[in-house]
Amino acid sequence: MTDLAAVKAALKTQAVETPSWAYGNSGTRFKVFAQPGVPRDPWEKLADAAKVHEFTGVAPTVALHIPWDKVDGSDAYAELAKYAEERGVKLGAINSNTFQDDAYKLGSICHPDAAVRRKAVDHLLECVDIMDATGSRDLKLWFADGTNYPGQDDIRERQDRLAEGLAEVYGRLGDDQRMLLEYKFFEPAFYHTDVPDWGTAYAHCLKLGEKAQVVVDTGHHAPGTNIEFIVATLLREGKLGAFDFNSRFYADDDLMVGAADPFQLFRIMYEVIRGGGFSPDVAFMLDQCHNIEAKIPAIIRSVMNVQEATAKALLVDREALDAAQRSGDVLEANAVIMDAYNTDVRPLLRSLREEMGLEPDPMGAYRRSGWAEKIVEERVGGQQAGWGA
């Protein structure tokens, strides 16, 4: 697409969901460095998320994590949803947590003990109840289940347990709700992981039905994995439901998206657009930890990085690329891709934001807003939200 007006029109439809937990104290497996002004509850997380949307214009929803964002009261989640809407955002995916309780040491939904499996499934059903209360469409599942040693448990039986649990939760979904199944090739299980790759996730989703879709976390692959091939394949099969965007140098580093390999992000976004995935049917979500950098600016920067990669992907001259591919002109085909990637799209995005009634520089606008100073002054006392809180 080389029509700049058409590129802008497409970019105006973009939506990037931000994660509630990224506004709290989170980081590496060794140390989490607390920062002043961090939210103390889900309400303050939503207030921060609203600022990201205010300055970027393309971050209209916020994912919740249960129990990290659990609120008490019969109408508490409806009130939380109303609070979000009053600030210009909505609640997005509900993320489950079956990896922190002591009972889950040997797994959750795949655990050999039926009582532990029941506990895990009941939690997932609770998350669907929360979806009903918040109006959320997506239930996002990631399981830390697996084993550390050969013989520790029966691999095939664990897949049977997984299928059984997923089927029960799937049957509880409403007509307009979806199950998004994430995968991760290792950690914390080191011998085998029960949902280690896109093929396993795809197989379970295919058996469950059309409301089950695969989540691609860009940090959950072995080095050298061609993630854009996975994206193209899942789109071709109608089974790509969402992304968790982040960057990694080694494994699941959860760095800002586009920070480690912006060319990879561009290639992924090209396949998304090429495969018809640039639509509300594919959720573009961030899943990141900000340990040494300020939370809100890091999320703003991440949203901007997704925008830049998308703009470049939209600029690929599809006609020229198709002609080069069909004629077997390898160098010309690659040149078409590289020309789009090497385009400086920042002036285009500044112009786009002005057309949307936004400041052309979101980072500068946030710094000038005084919000960072305000939350440091006001959020004194209480327990800061963080990984596991």
Side-chain angles (χ1 to χ4, degrees):
M1 185 185 298
T2 55
D3 181 346
L4 294 185
V7 170
K8 284 185 176 181
L11 288 169
K12 287 178 182 178
T13 69
Q14 188 163 38
V16 180
E17 184 163 296
T18 67
S20 66
W21 55 94
Y23 296 96
N25 287 318
S26 58
T28 71
R29 284 79 176 152
F30 301 100
K31 170 67 177 175
V32 175
F33 298 102
Q35 298 181 16
V38 163
R40 296 162 295 181
D41 53 45
W43 315 89
E44 292 181 346
K45 293 178 184 178
L46 292 175
D48 286 354
K51 287 297 173 182
V52 173
H53 183 48
E54 177 183 337
F55 295 118
T56 64
V58 294
T61 57
V62 188
L64 298 186
H65 198 294
I66 306 300
W68 299 348
D69 295 316
K70 193 168 186 175
V71 291
D72 296 322
S74 58
D75 297 324
Y77 288 105
E79 292 172 359
L80 193 65
K82 181 180 178 182
Y83 179 88
E85 291 187 14
E86 289 172 349
R87 280 147 188 81
V89 293
K90 293 184 178 181
L91 300 183
I94 303 300
N95 291 253
S96 62
N97 182 320
T98 57
F99 54 86
Q100 284 194 297
D101 289 5
D102 287 343
Y104 299 142
K105 181 171 68 172
L106 300 180
S108 61
I109 196 171
C110 302
H111 198 286
D113 187 334
V116 177
R117 296 200 299 274
R118 184 71 258 162
K119 172 184 172 71
V121 170
D122 285 345
H123 168 68
L124 303 184
L125 295 174
E126 175 195 10
C127 289
V128 181
D129 292 339
I130 293 171
M131 292 168 65
D132 293 340
T134 59
S136 299
R137 178 186 64 170
D138 296 332
L139 171 68
K140 188 146 76 69
L141 308 178
W142 172 72
F143 299 106
D145 292 36
T147 62
N148 279 0
Y149 296 98
Q152 177 182 323
D153 200 359
D154 188 286
I155 292 175
R156 178 164 176 160
E157 283 189 10
R158 291 180 73 91
Q159 287 297 307
D160 292 340
R161 299 167 198 159
L162 174 64
E164 181 181 357
L166 290 177
E168 181 177 348
V169 178
Y170 185 88
R172 170 65 181 81
L173 295 175
D175 292 340
D176 297 324
Q177 294 174 335
R178 306 189 305 174
M179 173 187 290
L180 303 178
L181 182 58
E182 190 175 347
Y183 58 89
K184 186 175 184 181
F185 78 109
F186 85 107
E187 193 192 42
F190 294 107
Y191 172 60
H192 102 276
T193 301
D194 289 306
V195 190
D197 51 39
W198 70 275
T200 306
Y202 171 74
H204 282 283
C205 289
L206 189 64
K207 186 173 182 179
L208 287 166
E210 62 181 12
K211 291 187 291 185
Q213 303 279 303
V214 179
V215 179
V216 173
D217 185 306
T218 51
H220 286 189
H221 302 88
T225 299
N226 190 314
I227 300 175
E228 55 268 33
F229 171 80
I230 298 171
V231 170
T233 301
L234 289 173
L235 280 170
R236 184 173 179 271
E237 298 298 323
K239 279 297 182 182
L240 179 63
F243 283 96
D244 272 355
F245 279 133
N246 52 63
S247 282
R248 63 118 174 90
F249 288 103
Y250 296 102
D252 186 22
D253 303 343
D254 277 343
L255 300 174
M256 293 188 303
V257 59
D261 189 350
F263 186 42
Q264 180 189 68
L265 180 60
F266 158 78
R267 300 193 309 265
I268 290 170
M269 289 309 304
Y270 172 73
E271 291 301 335
V272 168
I273 294 164
R274 165 69 180 85
F278 192 58
S279 76
D281 291 334
V282 178
F284 299 96
M285 303 181 284
L286 304 181
D287 181 15
Q288 303 175 174
C289 294
H290 306 297
N291 196 19
I292 60 173
E293 65 271 38
K295 316 296 182 181
I296 300 175
I299 296 173
I300 291 174
R301 176 64 68 189
S302 295
V303 172
M304 293 172 66
N305 288 348
V306 174
Q307 280 185 301
E308 290 185 16
T310 305
K312 292 180 178 185
L314 287 166
L315 287 172
V316 172
D317 188 334
R318 290 284 298 279
E319 290 186 5
L321 181 60
D322 183 65
Q325 290 173 341
R326 291 187 181 279
S327 68
D329 192 336
V330 176
L331 292 178
E332 180 59 24
N334 179 249
V336 173
I337 291 290
M338 296 308 300
D339 283 345
Y341 176 69
N342 289 322
T343 302
D344 184 357
V345 296
R346 290 174 297 177
L348 172 70
L349 289 169
R350 285 194 291 267
S351 174
L352 172 73
R353 295 183 188 111
E354 289 177 334
E355 290 179 12
M356 296 173 65
L358 304 169
E359 291 284 343
D361 174 18
M363 294 290 285
Y366 174 72
R367 285 193 296 268
R368 293 189 296 272
S369 72
W371 184 256
E373 294 77 13
K374 174 182 170 65
I375 58 179
V376 168
E377 181 179 349
E378 293 182 353
R379 295 175 185 173
V380 177
Q383 177 65 43
Q384 288 187 325
W387 199 89

